[in-house]
Amino acid sequence: MFFTYLRRELRRRRKAALVVASGLALGIALVIVVNSVSSGMNRAQDKVLESLYGLGTDMTVTKAASPPGEGGTARRPRFEFDAKDSDDDSEQNQDIVMVEGFETLASSTVAKVGKQDGVADAVGGLSVRVMKVNGQFKRGAVQQQPGQGGQGGSTAPGGGGEGGGAVRGGGAAFDVDSYTAYGTDVAHQGLGPLTSSKITSGRTFRTTETAAKVAVIDSAYAKEKKLAVGKKLTISGTAFTVIGIATADSGDAAANVYLPLARAQTLADAKNKVTTVYVQASDSQLIDGIKQAIQKNISGTTVTTSADLADTVSGSLSTASDLASGVGKWLSYVVLAAAFLVAGLLTSAAVSRRVREFGTLKALGWKSGRVTRQVAGEALVNGLVGGALGIALGLAGAWLITTFSPTLTAQLGGGNGGGAAGGGRVFGGGGGQGGPTRQAASKALDIALTAPVSLTTIGLAVALAVAGGIVAGGFGGWRASRLRPADALRRVE
């Protein structure tokens, strides 16, 4: 009897039911779209951070900056060329390998960090910069003045001897090539910047290659220098065999060249030193506690979490994320609340128009509870229909955003000046102290916006639909329960 009457009443009042369901659908669809866009923003931001940090990394530990006036013993790059006793022009080439930022931690720091409560894994790495200089000295030629003899020679690099000729031409031309290299712990490759790249040719390091003369090259750098698997890359007189080509998942790679940690330490004269400790927490809820514990128990360190780095992301990605999480969510809440209110008022108004009907039913023996359940049932069905429409509209909106998504830009640490803890030192050029920085850290990264809809979002939509039906049914049921049979008799014409 309940479902029969419910079906008949909904069919008879389908226009009013459609109005109520449509209002709820719009509110639910807006909530789905805003939540999916916000989730897409978070994913885009995670991509930006993972491309620097590496997958699974929750925080990094670097050496704390020295107070102004202290320290300052950083080794400056110095090139020295030997003079050659030869009549031929001399060709020179030299490599200098420097620790990025000139600040290092003892390798023992990795073990200390790993012993902190809540730390699941800790891995050290060394970021270095290689500067390669090669060129040629050219001797000048002595040009005799008119009327002077040939005493003094014609190719002497100095004066013209007794003839007093002038030296013309000569000089030096040198090319400088600078690129970044990262020493990775081949025995623990689950953390660090290399995990943000995918091996597209060859292979990655084997755990036994702790001191092997092998290298993994970023695909962009390999293309620029025409390197391929099996070829040789010479760094400071040591020839490394290219065993793999890695392509960054997003943006630029964290380093141009990846080497075994021990080899990178030898090249940079930084034995038993690391620039960064990458940390993975056993639970994301423990990150803040781990940060405090490391700073308290290991002096002279700066801990930077992914949340700190997220605060340094600027560009249209940051602006859009703020809009989605701020204005967008509040707008969806307001629209949803308005939809609930309108649904409740329309249901209550519909009960007012059915006074004679409900009064007659009560006169025939229907209890107030039965009338209330009947009204609430109709409102709940309207809510479920609205929920189905809202989910369909929300999925369509999310699909449109993903398909025709605008390209957002993100810049790491741009203009922040290091506002986040350690954030200003993680990014930047050669002076940064943190992990391997992007070669073009100051350049904006292009990120495609997506709007993924999760099962949680769908469940939220269903819950909102049921809640909308309950709210509307509560309004109408309360009104219907107060009706008396006498009200129906007064309106009989």
Side-chain angles (χ1 to χ4, degrees):
M1 181 65 181
F2 174 80
F3 292 103
T4 301
Y5 190 82
L6 178 65
R7 185 173 59 254
R8 182 176 64 82
E9 289 302 315
L10 289 174
R11 187 183 298 120
R12 188 160 64 93
R13 295 180 175 82
R14 55 180 175 271
K15 289 184 178 180
L18 185 60
V19 170
V20 174
S22 298
L24 290 173
L26 289 175
I28 292 171
L30 185 59
V31 170
I32 292 176
V33 170
V34 170
N35 273 274
S36 60
V37 170
S38 181
S39 178
M41 297 294 179
N42 291 332
R43 287 193 181 186
Q45 199 170 69
D46 289 343
K47 276 189 175 182
V48 174
L49 300 182
E50 285 172 1
S51 61
L52 174 74
Y53 252 2
L55 299 174
T57 303
D58 295 312
M59 65 188 75
T60 56
V61 180
T62 55
K63 186 174 182 179
S66 301
E70 297 184 12
T73 59
R75 178 169 63 94
R76 295 177 179 272
R78 180 181 176 86
F79 296 92
E80 296 179 355
F81 299 109
D82 296 330
K84 296 183 178 180
D85 296 329
S86 173
D87 292 336
D88 298 330
D89 295 337
S90 58
E91 186 172 339
Q92 304 278 356
N93 61 77
Q94 186 178 0
D95 290 355
I96 288 184
V97 183
M98 304 171 293
V99 173
E100 192 82 70
F102 308 110
E103 297 285 354
T104 58
L105 295 167
S107 296
S108 58
T109 307
V110 179
K112 294 178 181 178
V113 171
K115 292 179 181 179
Q116 303 301 310
D117 292 337
V119 174
D121 198 7
V123 177
L126 183 72
S127 180
V128 300
R129 180 168 292 275
V130 182
M131 297 184 68
K132 180 184 290 289
V133 176
N134 62 71
Q136 190 176 26
F137 292 106
K138 294 183 179 180
R139 294 176 179 270
V142 178
Q143 295 183 353
Q144 300 294 337
Q145 298 294 333
Q148 292 180 341
Q151 303 94 333
S154 61
T155 59
E162 294 179 4
V167 178
R168 296 287 186 269
F174 286 85
D175 291 328
V176 179
D177 182 23
S178 176
Y179 58 91
T180 56
Y182 173 66
T184 182
D185 187 344
V186 298
H188 302 87
Q189 299 183 54
L191 283 178
L194 184 56
T195 60
S196 64
S197 296
K198 182 179 180 181
I199 300 297
T200 52
S201 179
R203 62 176 178 83
T204 188
F205 300 104
R206 296 192 178 103
T207 56
T208 56
E209 295 175 328
T210 55
K213 299 176 183 179
V214 292
V216 174
I217 311 296
D218 172 60
S219 58
Y221 188 73
K223 183 178 180 180
E224 177 187 348
K225 300 300 180 181
K226 297 181 180 179
L227 294 170
V229 174
K231 289 194 173 184
K232 299 290 185 179
L233 173 67
T234 302
I235 304 176
S236 193
T238 302
F240 291 84
T241 302
V242 178
I243 60 172
I245 305 296
T247 302
D249 291 335
S250 63
D252 299 325
N256 300 125
V257 179
Y258 300 91
L259 304 172
L261 178 57
R263 278 291 170 186
Q265 291 171 332
T266 300
L267 289 172
D269 192 21
K271 187 177 181 181
N272 296 324
K273 300 289 185 179
V274 294
T275 51
T276 314
V277 181
Y278 296 87
V279 184
Q280 183 181 44
S282 58
D283 190 332
S284 60
Q285 303 297 322
L286 302 176
I287 292 178
D288 289 339
I290 295 173
K291 176 179 178 178
Q292 295 176 6
I294 294 175
Q295 291 177 326
K296 177 182 178 181
N297 300 329
I298 307 176
S299 60
T301 59
T302 295
V303 183
T304 307
T305 67
S306 55
D308 295 331
L309 287 185
D311 291 338
T312 70
V313 176
S314 59
S316 60
L317 173 61
S318 178
T319 302
S321 180
D322 291 341
L323 288 174
S325 61
V327 178
K329 285 188 176 181
W330 278 110
L331 178 61
S332 64
Y333 294 156
V334 170
V335 171
L336 188 64
F340 280 12
L341 181 60
V342 170
L345 292 176
L346 289 176
T347 303
S348 181
V351 170
S352 298
R353 292 192 297 270
R354 298 166 66 184
V355 170
R356 184 169 56 184
E357 174 189 343
F358 290 136
T360 303
L361 290 174
K362 281 193 171 185
L364 293 175
W366 278 40
K367 301 293 185 182
S368 295
R370 186 174 179 182
V371 174
T372 301
R373 287 193 299 272
Q374 195 68 45
V375 175
E378 294 175 16
L380 185 59
V381 171
N382 289 339
L384 293 176
V385 172
L389 291 175
I391 291 174
L393 289 174
L395 291 175
W399 177 81
L400 288 173
I401 292 174
T402 302
T403 304
F404 304 101
S405 62
T407 299
L408 302 177
T409 59
Q411 186 171 348
L412 294 172
N416 195 331
R425 298 188 298 105
V426 175
F427 307 106
Q433 283 180 214
T437 56
R438 294 183 169 281
Q439 202 170 20
S442 61
K443 293 174 61 178
L445 305 177
D446 292 332
I447 304 293
L449 174 64
T450 60
V453 181
S454 63
L455 292 177
T456 303
T457 303
I458 297 296
L460 176 62
V462 173
L464 291 175
V466 173
I470 292 174
V471 169
F475 271 97
W478 173 78
R479 187 71 180 273
S481 66
R482 296 173 61 86
L483 295 177
R484 296 178 299 171
D487 294 328
L489 298 177
R490 293 195 193 99
R491 299 193 182 193
V492 173
E493 298 177 355

